[in-house]
Structures are given as C-alpha cells and as structure tokens.
Amino acid sequence: MINVEKLFCGAVLIVERNDGVESVSMTCLLPCGDAYDPSDRLGRAAMWSELLLRGAGELDSRAQADAFDRVGAVRSSDNGRVFVRLGATCLGSRLGETIPLIAQMIRRPLMTPESVEASREIALQAIASLEDDPQHRATLAVRARHLPDPLGRSGYGDEPGLRALTRDELVEGWERCALPVGSIIAISGAVDADPVRAALDRELDGWAGETEAFAIDDSPQRGYAHEDDDGEQVQILMAHDAPPAGTSETMKQRLLTAVLSGGMSGRLFTEVRERRGLCYSVSASYSADRDFGVVSAYVGTTPERAQESLDVLNDEMRKIGSPGSEITRDEYDRARVGLKSRLVFSGESTSARAGSLAGDWYRLGRTRTLEERAAEVDAVSLEELNAYAAGLDMGRLTIQTVGPRALTPPA
C-alpha cells in the first residue's frame, strides 16, 4: 500500500511498505536543480549536490560521514533538471536515526569556505573531463538545442559560472531555493508510515516556504549542428519530440522505442550494425517528463561511414510502422517482456522504488504500484502500437555530430 500525505511544512510524503525486504530507502527531491541556476551562475546546483555531502548542522564533513556510517546508511546526492536529489538507504530498524541526518542536510548544510573551494574544483574537473568524452559532449549539445532553456541545460554548469560563485551566494541561494512546498520525500521498504511522518514533522519543524518558479523559453534552436573533433570516431545524436508522461500514448512510445532498441534484437542494432556493419554502437532511448518527451537515437561510427550511418538511422526511425515495416508479433512480445522485466528488477531495489514513487508524483501527480505499471504495458495491443507508429510525427529534428567533418542532415 502507498500512503501519500503532506507534512506540516508543506512537503509531500510518500511511503510504501514492502514486507519482503529489511532495507529502506529515502529519496528527497528539492526544487533547486539546474533550471533554477541564475544564467550567470550555471553550475550552482552541481556545487550544491557536492556540498550537501560535506557537512551539515553541527557535523563537519568527516563527522557527517562517520555519523552515516554508524547507522549503516549509504547516502547520495546529485543534481537534475528540476531537482537536487538526496538519497539514503539503510536497514529499516535504523531509519529513525537516519532521518535527523538527512534533515540536517536539507536545512543546515555547512558549505564551509574550504568545502566550497573543493566542490568548485571537482565541478571544474568534471567539465574538463568532457574533452575526453565526445559522446557525452554530443549528448549535452543535442539536449541544449532540442529543449527550451533552462530545461536543456547541462548539469555540469559552465566554467565562468562556477568560478564566479561565492560562498555567500551558495548559502543564500540554498535558503531561498530549497523550500518544502514543491519538495517530495518518498520512502520505500521496511517502513511504517505513521512513525516516519511523525519523525519528519519533528525534524523539519520550522522549515517553510515555496520556491519561485523559473521561466521557460519556448523557442529551442533545434536543427543540425556539428562540432569538430580530430578523433577517429564520429558521434551522431538525433532527437525528436515524443509524448510527455501520463498520456495515453506514453506507453506506446515506450514499446516502440523498445522495438527499435531492445538489445541485440532491436531494429537499430539489426539494421545499422549487424546487416550493414556501419557502426560499433547504436541505440535509442525515450525520456518522458511532466511537460515534454524526447526520443534520442545514437550512432557511434567511423568518419568513412558516418554519412551513411546518419542516413540509415533516419530511415529506420521514420519507417517503423509504415506499410511493409510493421511491428511484428515477435518484436511486440520481446518489447513487452523487456519492459516488464525491468519493472520487476526495479521493484527489488528499494532505492529504485523510492525514486520511481517520487518521480511519479512530480510527473503524474499520483503514484503507481508495480502491478499498475505492468498493466499499462499489457494494455497496449499490437494493432494499437502499429497504428501509433504509422501516425508518428517526429517534428523538427535536432541532430548533433562530433567528428572530423560535418555531415549532410536528412531533409
């Protein structure tokens, strides 16, 4: 059973008990992700996600780490498009000791001058590491041009913004941004809702406020762009619009993407790599957020075969579901089994389950059990999937290439 209620502070609390495990995981989504960064201070959320692990309340960095170790809790923090995420996993019997530590991270992060400089250096090194990762650079570039600002921002920030941030800006920004209204706390595993709610109400007493919403630019660039790179490989990324989360077409797109890129039996792997030998890697993925969805396709190949790889990738993405290229019963069955298998595996991880519950609340405004999610897969027939594929409008594509020379984008 899933319990959903509001804490006294205004944050949403989601609790799902699982009697089959002894562990419990907590995911806290705080509305202060990359999209909230000031345009001249990009990287603020990235620094926050590191600083949260470097001391809070009366505990410095070492004492905080020791405190989590004493209760046997594994902690984590990362920044995303909308939220900074805090996570912790421990035995269910130690959750009561873990909650105060997480509450301190939320309400009283230290952000000492020493930890600020260390976090800045780590963030700058992460940006520098992109020089050796052309595939990741291509991924960030296509996202930046396909999505409207600030939703397409890189989670790394940029060097000018990181160097300009001061400790006072980080501390004051956190106090203005990391507020309870709009925050989501999801807990899954060996847990009871009532004592958890009481503990959180106690530890978060006095935490109040709502984060000011960010404005969205509705004119993304899109189109084709190229970045020169002297390597012996070419990275090709293609993105197109897809249904957002929670629509009648969301699961159809998930199944369609699984047909295209469901492992070695997927169409892209079979057509682009196996039959034609054009590339060393090819895949597609679908990301559905609250207000938009994106399908991204990737090919890694050589300069000599890059143009043909792009052309064939475009053809395969466009023709699926059309006469003569309909999805077969075998492809449909494999896609369904693959999606349901991943659901089962995620249900065995309390951490994945807590993250899924929090994500559902943000994207859908409700939660789903594993059984409900599996039923959504079964609800789409082969005929409905082929009809969806045949009528799919990819819209204006965003294509990014990284390699020795530019390519000719498809018409």
Side-chain angles (χ1 to χ4, degrees), residues 208-284:
E210 180 176 1
T211 307
E212 183 178 346
F214 54 82
I216 298 177
D217 180 353
D218 60 358
S219 303
Q221 299 178 30
R222 305 200 172 177
Y224 175 71
H226 173 77
E227 177 188 333
D228 284 331
D229 187 277
D230 294 334
E232 294 301 316
Q233 299 174 352
V234 177
Q235 316 296 323
I236 302 171
L237 264 295
M238 174 189 295
H240 69 78
D241 288 340
T247 74
S248 61
E249 297 181 333
T250 303
M251 184 51 66
K252 296 172 187 176
Q253 183 63 62
R254 291 201 188 284
L255 285 163
L256 180 61
T257 307
V259 170
L260 283 167
S261 186
M264 296 178 67
S265 60
R267 285 200 183 185
L268 294 181
F269 188 92
T270 301
E271 296 295 331
V272 184
R273 174 170 166 161
E274 292 298 288
R275 293 184 179 173
R276 302 172 188 257
L278 291 174
C279 65
Y280 59 83
S281 180
V282 61
S283 62

Side-chain angles (χ1 to χ4, degrees), residues 265-333:
S265 60
R267 285 200 183 185
L268 294 181
F269 188 92
T270 301
E271 296 295 331
V272 184
R273 174 170 166 161
E274 292 298 288
R275 293 184 179 173
R276 302 172 188 257
L278 291 174
C279 65
Y280 59 83
S281 180
V282 61
S283 62
S285 62
Y286 168 45
S287 173
D289 214 318
R290 186 178 67 180
D291 303 313
F292 63 88
V294 178
V295 169
S296 300
Y298 165 75
V299 168
T301 185
T302 60
E304 296 75 20
R305 299 188 174 188
Q307 185 63 59
E308 186 179 359
S309 295
L310 173 58
D311 294 340
V312 174
L313 175 67
N314 179 65
D315 289 344
E316 291 299 322
M317 296 287 289
R318 288 185 179 279
K319 76 180 185 181
I320 189 169
S322 61
S325 295
E326 294 90 347
I327 297 163
T328 67
R329 173 63 61 177
D330 283 347
E331 289 177 318
Y332 167 75
D333 288 341

